[in-house]
Amino acid sequence: MGRLIIEGGVPLEGTIRVSGSKNAAVAAIPAALLARGPSRLENLPNITDVAVFADILRALGASVDWEPEQGVMVIDPAGFCCTEAPYELVKRLRASYYLIGVFLARFGHGQVALPGGCDIGLRPIDQHMKGFRALGAQASMEYGVVTVDADKLEGSTIYLDVTSVGATINIMLAACLAEGRTVIENAAKEPHIVDLANYLNAMGARIQGAGTDVIRIRGVRELHGATHAIIPDEIEAATYMLMAVATGGRVRVTEVIPKHLEAVGAKLRETGAEVREEGDTVEVISRGRPRAANVKTLPYPGFPTDLQQPYVAVMCRARGVSVVQETLFENRFGYANELIRMGASIRVDGRTAIVEGVEKLYGAPVRASDLRGAAALVVAGLSAQGRTIVEGTYHLDRGYAAMVQKLQALGARVARED
Ligand code: EPZ
């Protein structure tokens, strides 16, 4: 198992470029299967979730040419014929459930094993199923496999009981080839939903309102391939912004969309950091220990749950006590024990963590158990005194492109052992 060795206590200084968005990438890749012709996806991050999804598409019969260094993937769905995605294929990432929407739209039936992904809560898919049924499909779940079947898909109005990113995307995928008009109410508004809508529209779909809570889709008979550049990863960018605050440093992240970073920027200002935006660059300047600031995770445009874990790591060394509420996933504080091993003072009560800032964290061997929890351990290790060894680097590889190189470019003393 790979590990990251961090000699902490160095304020990060310098400039890095953000990579393409993981969550936009893992929606766009299966979406390419909806078309009759090849698509070219650009600015994809060089992460394992992208490579694994490429393998899944190949196993389904599509031809995929993936150039990780260039971030370019050409997907030709001509040979796509298989409508079963077994557990061996889908267990490595959550987003493989987007294949359900794709199978339905292209073939009217399909089977997908319930997917893997980060272990952060129960993660039900009832809203996906509700959406498929509203479009006229039969959808069932037995023996860990989701089966969908439809003579034809017909547009419908679907009100999501919870604002779900995954359900919004899955329904969009299925509905763009359905007959008639679909309306998704209480839709999620995350940036990657807008990105997916832009890509699907470039393929000939007719989707309006992505980025608001009502999305309207007029079904079309056929989609064609298109070229699309994936948006920058706001969670990756924000993770480096948090690292600047954790280490009392100065970090510029280029090629971002500052609008996507508003919630985290506002929160970091509350902790005393200076956050400057200029064009497509954001710069965070921080001196000394941050001030404690409470946070509550919310769907976009609120403070993202994906930053809750690295944010807590920053609060561990804050002046004062912060209360961090996780409203989306019921089990996203698992990493807190590892932070406690580094000297943090954290109490977890259900979905709330109470973090009493300490002056120093101390390096220790720690083990990551999910992607953003791993990022939290790296944040803590960078700000701790002494050596931290983070085990479980494969979690980081799922979502952070070239993390070691980026950290080294910022002056961090970090090395990787595989
Ligand atoms: C997406 O997960 C992201 N994953 C997650 O990114 C992110 O944490 C999450 O959205 C929230 O922003 C991808 O985009 C691949 P949801 P998803 O459906 O779609 C409940 C990361 O670290 N819910 O928006 O699985 C659910 O339990 C990750 O990059 C239902 O009740 O999340 C949760 O409380 C991990 N029924 C809430 O909705 C459903 O049918 C939001 O989940 C679906 C969801």
Side-chain angles (χ1 to χ4, degrees), residues 22-24 26-27 49 94-95 97-98 118 120-129 162-169 188 190 192 235 298-300 304-306 309 327-330 332 351 370-372 398:
K22 166 180 92 80
N23 288 341
V26 297
D49 270 15
R94 187 86 197 146
Y97 59 20
Y98 296 145
C118 286
I120 52 182
L122 284 178
R123 308 187 80 178
I125 62 160
D126 55 302
Q127 299 303 303
H128 305 232
M129 304 289 266
V162 289
T163 312
S164 158
V165 172
T168 303
I169 289 180
E190 269 65 6
H192 48 290
I235 304 297
L298 288 170
Y300 187 83
T305 170
D306 295 346
Q309 295 145 300
T327 68
L328 279 98
F329 295 106
E330 69 278 11
R332 216 172 186 177
R351 293 185 177 210
D370 68 275
L371 168 60
R372 308 299 172 189
R398 287 194 45 213

Side-chain angles (χ1 to χ4, degrees), residues 119-198:
D119 185 8
I120 52 182
L122 284 178
R123 308 187 80 178
I125 62 160
D126 55 302
Q127 299 303 303
H128 305 232
M129 304 289 266
K130 170 174 157 172
F132 299 141
R133 289 185 187 120
L135 296 175
Q138 289 186 349
S140 62
M141 200 171 7
E142 274 174 349
Y143 304 108
V145 175
V146 178
T147 304
V148 283
D149 224 322
D151 291 336
K152 68 170 182 176
L153 291 181
E154 270 185 285
S156 172
T157 295
I158 300 146
Y159 182 90
L160 295 181
D161 301 326
V162 289
T163 312
S164 158
V165 172
T168 303
I169 289 180
N170 235 338
I171 297 167
M172 276 166 68
L173 292 169
C176 58
L177 289 174
E179 231 178 78
R181 198 173 81 138
T182 297
V183 181
I184 310 174
E185 292 177 345
N186 195 26
K189 296 180 279 209
E190 269 65 6
H192 48 290
I193 288 178
V194 181
D195 195 51
L196 177 68
N198 288 339

